[in-house]
Amino acid sequence: MITLALSKGRILDDALPLLAAAGVTLQDDPEKSRKLILATNRADLRVVLVRASDVPTYVQHGGADLGVAGLDVLLEHGAEADASGAGAGNTGLYRPLDLRIARCRMSVATREDFDYASAVRQGSRIRVATKYTQTARQHFAAKGVHVDIIKLYGSMELAPLTGLADAIVDLVSTGGTLKANRLVEVERIMDISARLVVNAAALKVKREPLRALIDGFEQAVLAAEAKA
Ligand code: PRT
Ligand code: MG
């Protein structure tokens, strides 16, 4: 049996067409069913629904053989694994494929009236609120910008509006959320998309079926790109 970890929402919505193109369909409608383990049209493949940020944990520890997670989530997970002493990048996660779905960018945003460029130029300490503490820390360290990172779990947009922080690091896709809160994107940190991750040990033990599935995903991504 192969177990694929997905998260409800954008990842599932965007992954289902890729799965379908690879010949895999779900037996239940995930939006209607309350099941967390979903059967597929293939007897040897099932889908488990987990929180987006839990996908790498499931795959790393073998609760799933493979999964789909945003690069944002993977970078934070990798940094945590490193900090816990697992060794540089040694999360046991093999990352074979950029699925090119759930695309967005990670950016720095501030209030319209905050002069980010001159704060950076003057070497001021900037208070940054974010869910992506590791990625943000790395970004500002690489630029030599002094920051105090404030960890939040959601509604980052509120931080500059209430005076909790000068800036936020968050994901942006349409820009509508920033605009609605009168925030401006002042720096793009990186492009984000969902990646396929595979448990390195499972790849050895279940090599044939996992390889076939990865190939199926790869063909589906190429076909989707050709259509776009
Ligand atoms: O909700 P939960 O805590 O379970 O997890 P999650 O919020 O991480 O899950 P989900 O489903 O919201 O996001 C899953 C993945 O989708 C993320 O890890 C990203 O890789 C990817 N993704 C793509 C996004 C966005 N686009 C996105 N726009 N994730 C979040 N957003 C949010 C963003 O944080 C901001 O609040 O949407 C808002 C901005 O959108 P715009 O269109 O207004 O700019
Ligand atoms: Mg969410």
Side-chain angles (χ1 to χ4, degrees), residues 26-195:
L26 299 181
Q27 302 291 70
D28 298 285
D29 180 348
E31 298 306 327
K32 291 196 185 120
S33 165
R34 300 176 77 116
K35 287 185 196 165
L36 297 176
I37 300 181
L38 304 173
T40 71
N41 61 324
R42 280 175 45 175
D44 67 335
L45 177 65
R46 63 180 186 173
V47 167
V48 292
L49 296 176
V50 305
R51 279 290 285 269
S53 45
D54 290 336
V55 167
T57 306
Y58 268 82
V59 176
Q60 180 179 358
H61 298 287
D65 298 303
L66 71 178
V68 177
L71 179 60
D72 50 316
V73 167
L74 292 172
L75 291 174
E76 290 297 310
H77 177 83
E80 260 173 40
D82 288 350
S84 70
N90 186 18
T91 56
L93 289 181
Y94 170 57
R95 237 202 266 179
L97 203 56
D98 181 351
L99 296 175
R100 308 181 66 81
I101 57 172
R103 288 161 90 162
C104 58
R105 54 194 186 268
M106 192 177 292
S107 293
V108 183
T110 67
R111 273 166 57 149
E112 294 163 342
D113 58 4
F114 182 79
D115 193 345
Y116 177 73
S118 81
V120 167
R121 216 178 314 112
Q122 289 165 12
S124 319
R125 248 191 133 71
I126 301 174
R127 292 168 305 148
V128 179
T130 186
K131 180 170 159 185
Y132 309 100
T133 54
Q134 308 291 338
T135 314
R137 210 178 289 288
Q138 272 185 17
H139 169 71
F140 292 111
K143 281 178 54 115
V145 174
H146 301 288
V147 289
D148 289 320
I149 303 276
I150 303 167
K151 166 87 186 186
L152 289 178
Y153 291 89
S155 302
M156 261 87 82
E157 300 81 15
L158 200 53
L161 304 177
T162 54
L164 177 70
D166 303 308
I168 60 172
V169 167
D170 196 6
L171 302 178
V172 181
S173 55
T174 62
T177 304
L178 292 181
K179 203 164 175 217
N181 291 289
R182 306 194 58 182
L183 298 176
V184 286
E185 191 176 1
V186 292
E187 191 167 61
R188 270 180 178 233
I189 299 178
M190 66 176 81
D191 288 328
I192 299 286
S193 57
R195 311 295 164 103

